[in-house]
Amino acid sequence: MKIMMTGFEPFGGESMNPALEAVGRLPDRVAGAEIVKVELPTVYGRAGEVLEEAVRRELPDAVLCVGQAGGRSGILVERVAINLRDTKAPDNGGRQPVDEAVREDGPAAYFSSVPVKRMVAAIREAGIPAFLSYSAGTFVCNDILYSLLHLIARERPAMKGGFIHVPYATEQTVDKPSGTPGMELETIARALERAIGAVVEEMAKGVTEKQDK
């Protein structure tokens, strides 16, 4: 089994992105699955293009994209992607879309196809705060989740896809207001491992059930 993990480059004036850093800390195999790591640009549209190229090259069984949610106190496993680009902050290419569709030929929304509740539970079982989220926002994080699920719907229906938001890394909070939450990168990486394990377990269960029929 092959799992693709993606992380975004730094954005919004930050010198690092904890999503990319944590993905980079993952071992080459987790729960028996091969891990492929991909860096994505924090740019509307281009991120989806890079992801599609990587998926067609690597042919993974599942893709988990990871992004930064600064100001959150725990790991967020996203359940929904909406067909909307709308932001007050520009992406790394200077784009600042308002009321724009991610895909004109796509539905209003998609649901993640990974076991989101089991992923949250698995992370919490490791003593790491985690929550189920029903909004990935309208920035590039939502954009990539929608693009991923649209790709799955059009080309790879057997592939699973989802998105995880992670807090600021502890070192990012040094110059931020008092009380700004952060998390150690090693803890974030451990949370990702637990999430991957839940995905692998669920997919293996599906294979077994098919074989038993």
Side-chain angles (χ1 to χ4, degrees):
M1 187 179 298
K2 182 187 290 187
I3 309 292
M4 179 178 291
M5 301 294 296
T6 76
F8 285 106
E9 66 185 356
F11 68 95
E14 297 289 338
S15 61
M16 64 176 291
N17 190 317
L20 184 61
E21 295 294 330
V23 166
R25 282 168 165 72
L26 292 173
D28 293 333
R29 299 194 74 84
V30 175
E34 177 187 356
I35 303 301
V36 177
K37 307 168 187 178
V38 177
E39 179 177 346
L40 299 178
T42 309
V43 178
Y44 286 107
R46 180 55 186 157
E49 292 171 357
V50 173
L51 177 65
E52 289 194 16
E53 291 166 3
V55 166
R56 291 172 181 143
R57 180 179 66 250
E58 299 290 344
L59 301 177
D61 297 289
V63 179
L64 288 178
C65 299
V66 187
Q68 171 188 291
R72 303 300 179 92
S73 61
I75 306 295
L76 301 178
V77 180
E78 300 295 343
R79 191 166 198 176
V80 184
I82 60 174
N83 194 6
L84 179 66
R85 295 170 173 169
D86 192 298
T87 180
K88 295 180 180 179
D91 66 9
N92 283 357
R95 290 200 60 211
Q96 196 170 344
V98 175
D99 293 334
E100 178 182 304
V102 178
R103 294 297 299 254
E104 293 291 348
D105 59 342
Y110 283 112
F111 285 97
S112 297
S113 52
V114 291
V116 291
K117 290 183 178 179
R118 178 61 193 134
M119 291 162 69
V120 170
I123 297 169
R124 288 182 173 180
E125 286 165 7
I128 303 168
F131 310 91
L132 186 59
S133 170
Y134 292 90
S135 174
T138 52
F139 194 51
V140 186
C141 290
N142 174 79
D143 205 70
I144 199 63
L145 177 56
Y146 188 94
S147 298
L148 168 62
L149 297 175
H150 191 64
L151 173 64
I152 289 172
R154 288 181 299 125
E155 298 183 18
R156 293 182 57 80
M159 188 174 78
K160 303 298 181 182
F163 191 96
I164 299 172
H165 265 123
V166 303
Y168 283 133
T170 301
E171 48 265 59
Q172 287 178 283
T173 67
V174 173
D175 296 321
K176 291 182 172 56
S178 176
T180 300
M183 187 177 285
E184 294 295 327
L185 284 171
E186 292 304 325
T187 302
I188 297 174
R190 187 155 52 92
L192 296 183
E193 287 192 49
R194 297 288 296 191
I196 293 168
V199 172
V200 171
E201 181 181 1
E202 186 74 12
M203 294 183 70
K205 184 190 304 181
V207 170
T208 301
E209 289 173 351
K210 287 181 181 179
Q211 292 174 342
D212 289 343
K213 290 181 178 180

